[in-house]
Amino acid sequence: MAVRAVRGAVQLEQDEAGHMAERVGDLLTAVLERNSLVADDLISIWFTATPDLHSDFPAAAARGLGIVDVPLICAQELDVAGAMPRVVRILAHIETYLPKSEITHVYLGATAALRKDIAQ
């Protein structure tokens, strides 16, 4: 078994806590499903949010999904002119038997444009 990293992102339509929980929950669920993972395979998750998101901590969505014994941290993404607005990104460290080449990074909706090289 190896420690790997998996990336992902989702764009919110609005800065509202319930909407953030739903969209970040969708992202986390997709990462787990597409990589055949369960919560116990998670080592840690780093969340970033663009500076225009203030309604809640993205990590709260993970707790809402029952991911309660995994270290989580939130940070603010750099405020770069012209960057896609209302985006939450994740970097999850996992334990898996998958080789790096088979890790599925998940960029939902419009965020696929952020990483065309790895978006599935």
Side-chain angles (χ1 to χ4, degrees), residues 1-90:
M1 186 165 295
V3 173
R4 303 277 186 228
V6 60
R7 293 279 318 270
V10 66
Q11 185 179 40
L12 281 62
E13 286 77 35
Q14 65 221 17
D15 183 23
E16 191 272 321
H19 180 62
M20 180 180 290
E22 178 183 342
R23 297 298 290 143
V24 174
D26 291 345
L27 175 61
L28 292 171
T29 299
V31 166
L32 293 172
E33 289 176 354
R34 295 181 192 182
N35 289 286
S36 300
L37 300 169
V38 296
D40 199 44
D41 297 324
L42 296 168
I43 297 170
S44 65
I45 306 174
W46 186 284
F47 296 85
T48 65
T50 51
D52 51 2
L53 295 174
H54 317 274
S55 62
D56 203 357
F57 295 100
R63 300 296 185 220
L65 290 175
I67 300 171
V68 296
D69 61 350
V70 175
L72 309 175
I73 192 165
C74 297
Q76 188 175 76
E77 192 71 39
L78 294 174
D79 191 8
V80 176
M84 186 179 289
R86 300 176 316 281
V87 174
V88 174
R89 293 171 173 85
I90 66 163

Side-chain angles (χ1 to χ4, degrees), residues 92-111:
H93 297 96
I94 61 171
E95 291 182 314
T96 183
Y97 288 105
L98 292 174
K100 284 183 191 180
S101 62
E102 291 182 26
I103 297 293
T104 301
H105 305 281
V106 179
Y107 288 78
L108 299 179
T111 64

